[in-house]
Amino acid sequence: MRWCGAMLFAGLVAGLVAATPAFSAGEDSDLERIPAQTPADTAPEQPTSSSKDVNYLGEALEISGTRHGLAVPYPSPRPATWENWLFLDTRDEWRLGEAWRLNYSGRLNLRTSNSIPFPTHENARNDLRELFVEWQPTETVWIELGRVNIRNGVALGFNPTDFFRPRTVIEPLTGDPSVLREDRLGVLMLTGQALWRYGSVTVAYAPRVTTPTAIYNIRNEQNFDPGFDRTNAEDRVLLKTSLNLAERFNPELLYYHAGSRTQIGANLTTPVGRNIVAYLEWAGGSRPDLIADAFHYGRMTGALPAAVTALLPNSADARFMNDLSLGASYTTESRVTFNLEYHFHEAGFSSTDWSNWFNASARRGFIPGVNSALWYLRSYAQDQQEPESRHTAFLRMDWQDAFVTDLELTALAAVNLQDASWFSQATAEYHLSRAWTIAGLVSGTYGGRRSEYGSLPGVASVLLRASRYF
Amino acid sequence: MRCAMFKTMTRRFLLIALVLAAAAGAARAQTAHDIIAGADRVRNPGEPFRTTSVLTEYVRGQPRDQTVLTVYSKEDNASGQFRNLVRYVEPPRDAGKMALLDGQNLWFYDPAAKSSVRISTKQRLVGQASIGDVLTINFAVDYTGTLLGDETITDAEHQTRDCWHLDLRAATPTAVYSRAEYWVEHGSFWPIKTKFYSDSGRVLKVLYYRGFTQRLGAVRPGAAVIIDAVDSTLVTTVRFDNPAFQDIPDFWYQRDYLPRLRPE
């Protein structure tokens, strides 16, 4: 018995002795991972500041597959099946004295495609996104004059309060709405902003300097024109205030007047626990529905005949309509962030509107002129960056450092809740080095022949991109 | 008689022992808070300041990426926690991006999109900005501490340090990590090591403070090494350059100021 006790004690001691080095080894293994060649504490210090300029040379090639047997035949020119862009993207700021700055943002494109001849003037295009002078008369006041990109909104997939968005996206390299904003035109305007501890006030006036023009297609985009017809074809005023009411609640209220229309809007966000942010973006104002709006614009710019309004039932009388994005983001322990949103666009197509749209072409014997007018409606919605349908769900996933450091995976889907058709896109972006980034993007549309996405001419596309920052 | 006297003495002894034990427990809880607050004061001065964080990522021991951030820090008198504005300087693809890290008022600004997105406490850990402000977390505000005992550990420079070993539990929604272990050196209150845990109890990273030098009015850590416990190939070193006191107005700490923050 005593022998057994001695053995047990010896076993415990041996176990403890054996366990002690194991614990130490665990602690030491942390320290062993510290690289021997880390920068010395005496290494030259980094400058306290540096330019915020970002310049890069990009190359992108997109190959697209087209869908045959469309419910409504697509008018010419058909979408390109391949396109290539070589572009220089520039975002610079120069200080012009103590209180003045000059800002420039733009992209110079050299593009080739099977839809445009080469070499022609159509191969070169410059997108002048921003060019403005900024004056800071006091510590808390900023005045800007020139082409400025003011973007509002807290949602990712649809921003009802982003009032300056119509017609500003020229030739997107992605279907991701949150990235689309990176290459859009600003608006010629005079802006002023004042900040204080508990909020800010922003005022912007964008004058009408030209008349509205027809919607551009791949063949008739202007190459070195600043495109004020897209951005300054009517007088517009924006008044916005942000209120820092609490740490978790900073509402933003907006008033917008364009031509003869007025809209009001609000942006609300709040954290929910440690993983979730909930948000709501709303705008409302008096307007006709999307079909009437598109017909009116088509007739005004000479793209559609006057009789086109009889093609589809529409509501030309203005009434108060709502736009809404309601969503939440959720971040997991693995650093994956999901955004789920519901979009409501009251002026958009109802199920009946979609049914009318699909039936109109067949009823009139698929006449090319009718098909052009029907597709014009959808081009108009895209040009205005309005959802085509009333009810849409949007899901986005973003995973930084996925599997390996510097690999970012993004996936998104926009689902028409009326016909269950959808668009999806997946992107993988890898930072090869400080200067080089490569990316691959695949996208596709899915749905029945008589659905929003299943009726589109583009069925799938692959885009490869390389960027060299300098 | 003797038996009754013995019982009375025993009761008194037990009562005194209980009172002493309770007093000792209270003193120990107070001590844990004092230690954490003392280490907070070593890491952070009471006045607003600016620093440049140089982050170098090592993958399998080889340097791979470098990120440079400018961090503007100011203690919030109401909460006692630091508010940070983080501006990306390097790499070129990220230049001009900003993060506002102020309690639960967390925003990320991308100058390419010209938009600010509200982020959650958990999303704050995505990207390098969370490392940029790692030194300014005031543990005494967001965590409840328990003193586990004394321990001698080896620091990042392979020196042995006699430390208090503390267990920290998140006490507010603004706490970035749900749990941490913390080693603070006896006497000097220098923070030596922190081990951060996820909600599920998994070790996320181990942080060693180092490079203690005279800066911002006292001896403070000038660098840190972060050992990633999830990705075993990844180690990040952080150097805190150019520390300087700077008068930072309160109105800087709001979403609409992010596009306005310019390099000095």
Side-chain angles (χ1 to χ4, degrees):
Chain A
M1 190 68 184
R2 188 177 290 175
W3 183 82
C4 282
M7 284 292 286
L8 185 61
F9 178 75
L12 281 170
V13 171
L16 284 172
V17 169
T20 305
F23 175 73
S24 298
E27 292 296 305
D28 288 346
S29 67
D30 281 345
L31 295 169
E32 284 165 9
R33 286 178 55 193
I34 298 174
Q37 300 296 320
T38 58
D41 293 334
T42 54
E45 294 206 333
Q46 289 286 324
T48 54
S49 62
S50 172
S51 162
K52 65 168 203 170
D53 300 347
V54 176
N55 303 299
Y56 68 96
L57 197 61
E59 158 65 30
L61 171 67
E62 183 178 44
I63 297 168
S64 308
T66 54
R67 187 177 270 119
H68 298 285
L70 296 177
V72 177
Y74 195 80
S76 61
R78 293 277 297 174
T81 53
W82 70 265
E83 278 191 278
N84 189 82
W85 299 266
L86 179 65
F87 56 90
L88 175 66
D89 198 289
T90 308
R91 207 169 63 238
D92 290 333
E93 183 181 87
W94 297 273
R95 191 183 279 262
L96 308 173
E98 195 57 36
W100 295 82
R101 289 185 184 86
L102 177 67
N103 285 269
Y104 172 79
S105 171
R107 180 178 285 185
L108 180 62
N109 300 273
L110 180 64
R111 61 188 187 126
T112 50
S113 160
N114 62 342
S115 282
I116 51 177
F118 180 86
T120 70
H121 69 281
E122 293 177 49
N123 300 125
R125 195 188 71 232
N126 186 57
D127 305 333
L128 177 62
R129 291 186 301 236
E130 289 190 302
L131 179 62
F132 64 92
V133 175
E134 180 187 306
W135 177 43
Q136 188 180 358
T138 71
E139 192 185 33
T140 57
V141 174
W142 291 263
I143 310 283
E144 293 166 341
L145 177 65
R147 172 167 266 186
V148 185
N149 204 339
I150 288 189
R151 194 202 151 243
N152 303 307
V154 291
L156 294 186
F158 171 45
N159 293 113
T161 63
D162 191 16
F163 297 122
F164 289 112
R165 74 184 185 280
R167 307 209 70 197
T168 53
V169 173
I170 298 179
E171 198 175 33
L173 298 183
T174 172
D176 187 345
S178 61
V179 184
L180 278 180
R181 298 159 196 138
E182 294 182 11
D183 191 31
R184 81 176 204 186
L185 301 179
V187 176
L188 188 61
M189 64 171 69
L190 174 66
T191 76
Q193 186 179 50
L195 296 185
W196 71 96
R197 176 69 188 97
Y198 298 102
S200 72
V201 171
T202 304
V203 182
Y205 168 65
R208 172 187 172 133
V209 297
T210 184
T211 52
T213 55
I215 298 169
Y216 294 97
N217 63 42
I218 191 170
R219 291 302 309 273
N220 63 10
E221 280 173 1
Q222 298 170 335
N223 24 14
F224 285 93
D225 186 287
F228 291 128
D229 56 319
R230 291 171 178 269
T231 60
N232 288 84
E234 59 185 351
D235 285 313
R236 295 189 280 180
V237 174
L238 172 73
L239 183 61
K240 178 173 81 165
T241 183
S242 296
L243 303 168
N244 301 324
L245 299 180
E247 192 176 86
R248 296 156 53 96
F249 189 56
N250 328 91
E252 195 174 70
L253 306 172
L254 304 98
Y255 167 89
Y256 174 73
H257 184 80
S260 58
R261 293 183 189 175
T262 299
Q263 283 181 278
I264 52 173
N267 286 300
L268 310 175
T269 61
T270 190
V272 181
R274 298 173 65 234
N275 300 63
I276 296 172
V277 171
Y279 48 89
L280 181 150
E281 183 174 347
W282 168 83
S286 186
R287 60 165 290 179
D289 68 16
L290 174 61
I291 298 172
D293 238 6
F295 282 156
H296 172 75
Y297 193 83
R299 281 172 25 232
M300 183 174 65
T301 55
L304 297 176
V308 74
T309 49
L311 184 61
L312 290 177
N314 60 86
S315 174
D317 295 332
R319 64 183 177 86
F320 194 90
M321 293 206 194
N322 296 283
D323 285 340
L324 175 73
S325 277
L326 179 65
S329 70
Y330 174 79
T331 302
T332 69
E333 266 188 21
S334 314
R335 302 180 183 183
V336 184
T337 300
F338 293 95
N339 285 75
L340 178 63
E341 296 177 1
Y342 163 70
H343 302 157
F344 175 61
H345 181 46
E346 195 170 354
F349 282 28
S350 65
S351 297
T352 307
D353 291 331
W354 277 115
S355 183
N356 292 335
W357 190 85
F358 285 111
N359 293 337
S361 180
R363 267 197 209 126
R364 289 168 173 79
F366 300 103
I367 301 167
V370 170
N371 296 336
S372 293
L374 291 172
W375 278 105
Y376 183 87
L377 298 175
R378 300 182 70 173
S379 300
Y380 175 81
Q382 194 177 9
D383 198 44
Q384 295 288 313
Q385 292 188 69
E386 281 187 43
E388 294 175 24
S389 294
R390 280 193 191 167
H391 305 281
T392 308
F394 178 81
L395 176 66
R396 189 174 190 273
M397 181 215 78
D398 184 75
W399 187 6
Q400 289 187 26
D401 294 330
F403 304 114
V404 292
T405 308
D406 287 328
L407 174 65
E408 182 174 358
L409 300 179
T410 310
L412 65 91
V415 183
N416 180 323
L417 296 174
Q418 296 159 226
D419 61 22
S421 66
W422 48 296
F423 163 80
S424 68
Q425 177 179 295
T427 308
E429 188 174 69
Y430 184 62
H431 304 302
L432 279 173
S433 66
R434 177 179 175 276
W436 283 96
T437 296
I438 55 172
L441 179 155
V442 291
S443 62
T445 54
Y446 313 87
R449 189 165 169 268
R450 286 168 58 90
S451 66
E452 178 183 354
Y453 292 107
S455 61
L456 287 171
V459 64
S461 69
V462 176
L463 185 141
L464 302 172
R465 192 180 73 229
S467 305
R468 167 75 168 86
Y469 291 84
F470 54 90
Chain B
M1 185 70 180
R2 280 173 62 183
C3 186
M5 213 167 117
F6 178 75
K7 278 182 181 171
T8 307
M9 283 180 66
T10 306
R11 275 188 198 139
R12 280 182 185 164
F13 177 76
L14 282 172
L15 190 64
I16 291 166
L18 278 170
V19 169
L20 284 174
R28 191 167 230 207
Q30 183 61 41
T31 303
H33 183 269
D34 286 350
I35 295 165
I36 297 164
D40 283 347
R41 283 192 293 275
V42 168
R43 286 187 291 113
N44 300 312
E47 297 171 53
F49 63 96
R50 182 192 69 221
T51 187
T52 304
S53 299
V54 183
L55 284 63
T56 307
E57 276 185 8
Y58 291 80
V59 177
R60 294 182 185 85
Q62 299 300 313
R64 190 186 188 289
D65 268 349
Q66 189 167 75
T67 303
V68 180
L69 310 165
T70 306
V71 185
Y72 302 84
S73 304
K74 183 176 188 178
E75 194 171 337
D76 183 2
N77 291 332
S79 69
Q81 191 52 276
F82 267 83
R83 298 184 286 174
N84 290 304
L85 271 179
V86 180
R87 183 172 66 80
Y88 283 75
V89 179
E90 286 272 348
R93 63 176 178 271
D94 291 329
K97 290 179 180 174
M98 314 272 179
L100 168 62
L101 309 173
D102 177 12
Q104 287 194 291
N105 192 17
L106 307 170
W107 294 85
F108 184 80
Y109 173 76
D110 184 351
K114 295 204 79 170
S115 64
S116 298
V117 177
R118 183 165 211 143
I119 57 176
S120 63
T121 306
K122 187 70 77 178
Q123 206 173 351
R124 175 182 177 154
L125 295 175
V126 179
Q128 302 288 40
S130 64
I131 297 176
D133 73 334
V134 73
L135 267 202
T136 59
I137 298 172
N138 268 346
F139 288 121
V141 175
D142 282 344
Y143 293 85
T144 304
T146 306
L147 183 57
L148 299 177
D150 297 329
E151 199 173 312
T152 300
I153 65 165
T154 307
D155 70 9
E157 276 137 0
H158 299 281
Q159 305 289 318
T160 54
R161 304 272 186 179
D162 293 328
C163 294
W164 288 294
H165 180 195
L166 301 121
D167 184 62
L168 309 182
R169 303 281 172 161
T172 68
T174 57
V176 179
Y177 300 92
S178 55
R179 190 197 154 208
E181 282 183 89
Y182 197 24
W183 286 264
V184 176
E185 190 180 43
H186 287 163
S188 69
F189 289 89
W190 285 7
I192 303 298
K193 175 180 173 181
T194 314
K195 194 181 271 189
F196 295 103
Y197 290 84
S198 69
D199 294 346
S200 62
R202 183 175 58 161
V203 180
L204 291 175
K205 57 183 75 166
V206 182
L207 186 151
Y208 286 92
Y209 302 91
R210 65 178 187 178
F212 286 84
T213 52
Q214 186 75 25
R215 48 200 289 123
L216 296 169
V219 176
R220 308 183 194 281
V225 182
I226 299 163
I227 297 163
D228 197 305
V230 180
D231 180 353
S232 61
T233 65
L234 182 64
V235 173
T236 305
T237 63
V238 193
R239 216 179 60 216
F240 304 99
D241 285 355
N242 309 302
F245 288 116
Q246 178 173 334
D247 184 28
I248 303 175
D250 283 335
F251 75 83
W252 281 30
Y253 294 97
Q254 62 178 304
R255 167 185 43 176
D256 282 352
Y257 186 71
L258 294 177
R260 303 297 182 188
L261 180 62
R262 294 295 200 282
E264 293 295 316

